[in-house]
Structures are given as C-alpha cells and as structure tokens.
Amino acid sequence: MNIHQFYLKHIAKQTGYRATWEPNRPLFVGAIGKLERGVFTIFTNLEKEGIIPEVVEDETEGFWDYTSYDSVSINFKLAGQAPLAGSALTEADAGVTIDFKNNEAVVFQADKTLTHQIINMAEIEKAIIEKYRKKEWPKDWLIVVQLIEAESATIIISNSPSNQIDLKAEANVGTSHLKLTDASLGLHLVREQGSSFKILAKNGITPLYRVMGIRHPLFGKPGLSTKSLTEETDEVLEVQDFDPEELNSVDGETNG
C-alpha cells in the first residue's frame, strides 16, 4: 500500500476536506498553487496577485478525531499501572500502546482546532475571472479558501499488518489526562513491530484544507469552481471534492 495514497483517500472520505501532504507541511488561507498527485504546491498568494482576501476564524476551538477504530486499538497506560502483555513500557512508565490490525489504518487526532476561511469570495471570483480572460491567471491555479489549524496533532499511518507501537511519555503522568495530542507529555517511540508514518503531538499544524479554481469555459461560463470540469453549471462557488484520479500519473506510478 502507498501511504500517501491511502492517507489522502481516507481523510477525504472521513472529513470532506483535503489532507495536507506531508501532514506537517505548512499552508495558509489565500495560498495559490497547483495539485499534483493530490499534493498542493504553493506558487504565490492572493495578495501578491493584487487580490485582498477577508479571512475569519472560529471563535471556539474544536477537536478532530478520525481514527480507524475498526482497525486500531489505543491503550493508555498511567505510571504505576501494569503494562500490556508484550509492551516495551515498564510499570513505572506512562505512555500509549497502539495496535494496528491491518496496513490500512490511521490515527488522526487534532486538538484545539480553528477553521480559517475567506468570506469575500464573490469579489475574489470577479477579480480572478477578469484576470483569467486577460490570460493573467493560469487555469490550473487553485486557491486555499478554507483551512483547519490545530494547536497540536498526532497522525500515525500504518504501513504494515499487525503493527504495534509503544510511545513513552517523558512527563511523570499519574492522572487520567493522557492525550495523544499533548505535546507537554513528550511522547516518543520506544518500540515498533512493523512500520508507519508518524507525527507525534506536532504543534501549529495545518492538516486539512479546501481549494477553489477556475472552471474551463469549454464546460460553461468561467467561474470559481471546485467540482469536476465536466459539469455544466453557471458561475457558482462550490467545494472541490477530492477525486482519487488525482493520484494517477501518466506512467501509472504514484508519489510516496
């Protein structure tokens, strides 16, 4: 299994958002770029193109958890508790043991999240269409119009069946407040039976986003759209759904 492919498909299905790859790659609202095999590469931004976005963010923090519970078992261990059979954690340790039952499983937890989004898309659309008609805006440019920012996040993607991971906390935790997203715990890998991609309690991560781009005039009036270019619609603003075909390449190989 290709981790990159699986992760992008899984997160899109579970959340309706595109997943940043790699997950710790920084993004910002108003970034302009292109998608290649599902990976967004920044070329410029709206302000550099003379277009000023109005951005708002949530006032209430959230928590996102899209762990594959049918394929993942997460067991927290407090200091002083007996460890699970086969675990590398000792009785004195606090930490987490994660069991992956197959190689298509993910742990995605993002804490204290805020949604950033552009709210003046009507005037932005007008400005972009004008630039497009003057051949000043490439049709494959896309704009990040919505973004989820997390104060901290843990993302683990299994790449082998029957994988078990032991994470030890540096802090002496003796309460029931163990969280995979808590950077103050200093969680670090002490043993793994298999292989996986891991981001542990990463601070200031932007793991999820949505983009908009110009629809080719062959399929109707040019307008900001995020749907397939084969749909005939008038000038509307829509969310571009993730399409697994984005991961295909000319030579049939995929990017890892």
Side-chain angles (χ1 to χ4, degrees):
M1 179 200 65
N2 182 291
I3 284 183
H4 156 250
Q5 282 187 312
F6 166 69
Y7 179 69
L8 295 186
K9 290 178 181 179
H10 178 85
I11 295 300
K13 180 180 179 180
Q14 296 297 322
T15 71
Y17 281 85
R18 292 178 174 274
T20 309
W21 186 263
E22 289 90 3
N24 57 341
R25 180 181 293 191
L27 274 183
F28 58 92
V29 172
I32 298 171
K34 297 180 181 181
L35 281 168
E36 182 179 2
R37 298 176 184 177
V39 178
F40 187 82
T41 301
I42 299 174
F43 279 62
T44 180
N45 62 62
L46 284 173
E47 292 192 3
K48 286 183 178 180
E49 299 304 314
I51 303 172
I52 308 300
E54 294 180 23
V55 181
V56 297
E57 67 177 42
D58 286 339
E59 296 183 358
T60 304
E61 296 175 336
F63 179 81
W64 292 62
D65 184 356
Y66 285 93
T67 298
S68 308
Y69 284 109
D70 57 337
S71 305
V72 180
S73 175
I74 301 175
N75 297 281
F76 292 96
K77 179 193 170 302
L78 306 181
Q81 286 184 337
L84 292 177
S87 172
L89 299 175
T90 69
E91 185 171 336
D93 294 332
V96 189
T97 297
I98 306 174
D99 286 297
F100 293 93
K101 297 182 178 66
N102 59 55
N103 64 342
E104 291 191 348
V106 61
V107 172
F108 178 98
Q109 294 188 7
D111 198 11
K112 296 183 179 178
T113 61
L114 293 173
T115 302
H116 305 259
Q117 58 185 332
I118 297 174
I119 59 171
N120 61 329
M121 289 306 305
E123 54 187 273
I124 288 176
E125 178 180 56
K126 182 178 178 181
I128 289 176
I129 291 172
E130 184 176 342
K131 283 178 171 287
Y132 177 77
R133 287 172 175 163
K134 292 179 180 179
K135 302 187 184 300
E136 297 174 354
W137 186 277
K139 68 181 180 182
D140 56 352
W141 273 8
L142 298 166
I143 313 156
V144 176
V145 297
Q146 193 171 355
L147 186 72
I148 304 296
E149 178 185 14
E151 182 175 298
S152 65
T154 287
I155 299 169
I156 306 174
I157 311 164
S158 176
N159 195 34
S160 58
S162 302
N163 185 17
Q164 186 179 76
I165 296 173
D166 286 318
L167 302 175
K168 179 181 176 181
E170 291 182 356
N172 183 19
V173 181
T175 70
S176 59
H177 298 296
L178 276 170
K179 292 176 66 176
L180 281 176
T181 54
D182 189 347
S184 69
L185 296 180
L187 288 171
H188 59 279
L189 182 70
V190 291
R191 189 199 63 156
E192 179 170 12
Q193 291 181 330
S195 63
S196 61
F197 176 94
K198 293 174 285 293
I199 292 177
L200 302 178
K202 174 72 175 178
N203 288 324
I205 195 171
T206 52
L208 304 171
Y209 68 103
R210 287 185 175 133
V211 291
M212 283 184 150
I214 284 215
R215 191 174 62 252
H216 196 285
L218 177 64
F219 304 108
K221 295 180 182 179
L224 282 188
S225 176
T226 54
K227 278 204 169 183
S228 167
L229 299 184
T230 60
E231 296 187 7
E232 286 194 35
T233 55
D234 292 329
E235 297 178 4
V236 294
L237 299 178
E238 299 175 321
V239 174
Q240 179 175 353
D241 296 325
F242 176 81
D243 186 344
E245 290 299 314
E246 294 175 25
L247 302 178
N248 292 341
S249 64
V250 175
D251 60 8
E253 297 179 354
T254 53
N255 198 14

